[in-house]
Amino acid sequence: MTTRDERNLLIIENLPLVGYLASETHARATHVSREELVSAGALALVTAADAFDPELGVPFGAYARRRILGAFADEMRSMDWAPRGVRTRIKETTRVRDTLTAALGRTASTAEIATAMGVAPDEVSAALADASRSVTTIDEAYDADLASLTPLPEESAIIAERRHVLQHAIQALPERMRAIVHAVYIEERPVKDVAEELGVSHSAVSQQRAEAIRLLRDALEQYYRDGQDAPTTSRVSAAVRERFFAHLAEAGGSRVARALAPTVAVT
């Protein structure tokens, strides 16, 4: 088990993960308060740090992620007013709607959905009205991965865009941070093994990982700032941050470069 100081360090270093996952979830389920998700996720992070056993060889980031997403699911279920039968009807109707929408390239009409389902249009209208009031359509077999929910076409575009920015942002990280992020979050290797391979301490890897997450968050905040001043969470020097954004702008293409201006000069 971790010591008290190690437990507190795990919580502090991974708080950005709570915010990131809460934003991702809120983007898919805008009817759920982001603040409530953050609150539930922060509590899950604390309990994850309390229960974490590094001897099991599982990276804390991966372990905490599942606990946080599970807490999101519990929070959403606790707010769900709909009984199982209603949720089933909602799920069937929205699935047909999304399938038709993807096939037609536009939002399917109530009449089109009703025809595809072989039911009366008023039944479709009622199901869609219930869907707009339903907090969640997560079923009892929820596997702690909200990414399994099928997004609408426009949501897919947003997710693809965010993934595009994030992938290039990872590549733009300073070399040591990039290697740590890849090892811990993509290869899911234990921090202890990564530290041994790099010849540094466990805490050094954790600090670099946390700073990398903050830089990635800065990149997303800057990209989606929509003309507003974006908050800065990273603690690196101004020179390191400027080089990071410059590399991201160069690798991400003109659209990313424009979104990052005036952080970087666009030619």
Side-chain angles (χ1 to χ4, degrees):
M1 299 296 291
T2 57
T3 65
R4 184 76 176 180
D5 289 341
E6 290 172 334
R7 173 257 198 194
N8 292 341
L9 186 60
L10 287 174
I11 294 172
I12 294 171
E13 290 179 344
N14 287 275
L15 278 174
L17 179 62
V18 174
Y20 175 76
L21 292 176
S23 296
E24 287 284 297
T25 303
H26 179 66
R28 294 172 179 270
T30 55
H31 48 274
V32 182
S33 166
R34 183 182 182 280
E35 288 70 25
E36 291 179 354
L37 290 173
V38 169
S39 178
L43 179 59
L45 176 62
V46 172
T47 58
D50 286 335
F52 181 61
D53 184 356
E55 296 301 321
L56 296 178
V58 178
F60 180 75
Y63 174 73
R65 179 180 183 275
R66 293 187 64 84
R67 295 288 291 264
I68 293 168
L69 289 177
F72 290 170
D74 290 340
E75 180 71 14
M76 294 166 75
R77 283 200 196 95
S78 69
M79 300 168 62
D80 195 356
W81 60 271
R84 182 184 297 271
V86 174
R87 290 203 304 270
T88 299
R89 184 183 63 182
I90 291 172
K91 183 181 297 185
E92 292 174 349
T93 305
T94 55
R95 182 181 295 123
V96 172
R97 179 199 62 190
D98 295 348
T99 300
L100 288 175
T101 295
L104 297 172
R106 59 172 173 77
T107 302
S109 68
T110 299
E112 290 168 338
I113 299 171
T115 299
M117 295 182 66
V119 299
D122 58 347
E123 292 186 32
V124 173
S125 297
L128 294 179
D130 286 341
S132 68
R133 294 189 295 119
S134 180
V135 172
T136 177
T137 58
I138 299 176
D139 59 27
E140 298 304 321
Y142 179 74
D143 64 354
D145 188 357
L146 296 179
S148 64
L149 297 176
T150 303
L152 294 172
E154 57 269 25
E155 293 173 335
S156 295
I158 294 173
I159 294 169
E161 180 181 44
R162 185 182 293 114
R163 184 179 296 115
H164 170 81
V165 176
L166 191 57
Q167 286 174 340
H168 286 294
I170 291 173
Q171 293 305 311
L173 287 170
E175 183 178 356
R176 177 61 63 88
M177 290 186 187
R178 182 172 66 249
I180 290 173
V181 167
H182 190 275
V184 174
Y185 290 106
I186 299 178
E187 297 178 354
E188 296 191 354
R189 296 173 53 196
V191 171
K192 180 176 65 176
D193 292 354
V194 177
E196 291 177 356
E197 180 179 304
L198 296 177
V200 297
S201 67
H202 183 288
S203 63
V205 170
S206 296
Q207 291 170 4
Q208 287 279 293
R209 178 187 59 181
E211 192 56 45
I213 294 298
R214 284 190 284 266
L215 272 174
L216 295 176
R217 182 177 180 180
D218 283 353
L220 290 174
E221 292 282 3
Q222 186 69 24
Y223 185 82
Y224 290 106
R225 64 193 173 100
D226 194 23
Q228 305 297 317
D229 291 334
T232 298
T233 60
S234 58
R235 303 169 185 171
V236 297
S237 67
V240 171
R241 187 180 297 108
E242 289 173 3
R243 284 197 298 271
F244 166 68
F245 279 116
H247 291 159
L248 173 56
E250 181 180 0
S254 59
R255 182 172 183 179
V256 173
R258 285 194 300 270
L260 296 180
T263 301
V264 295
V266 181
T267 59

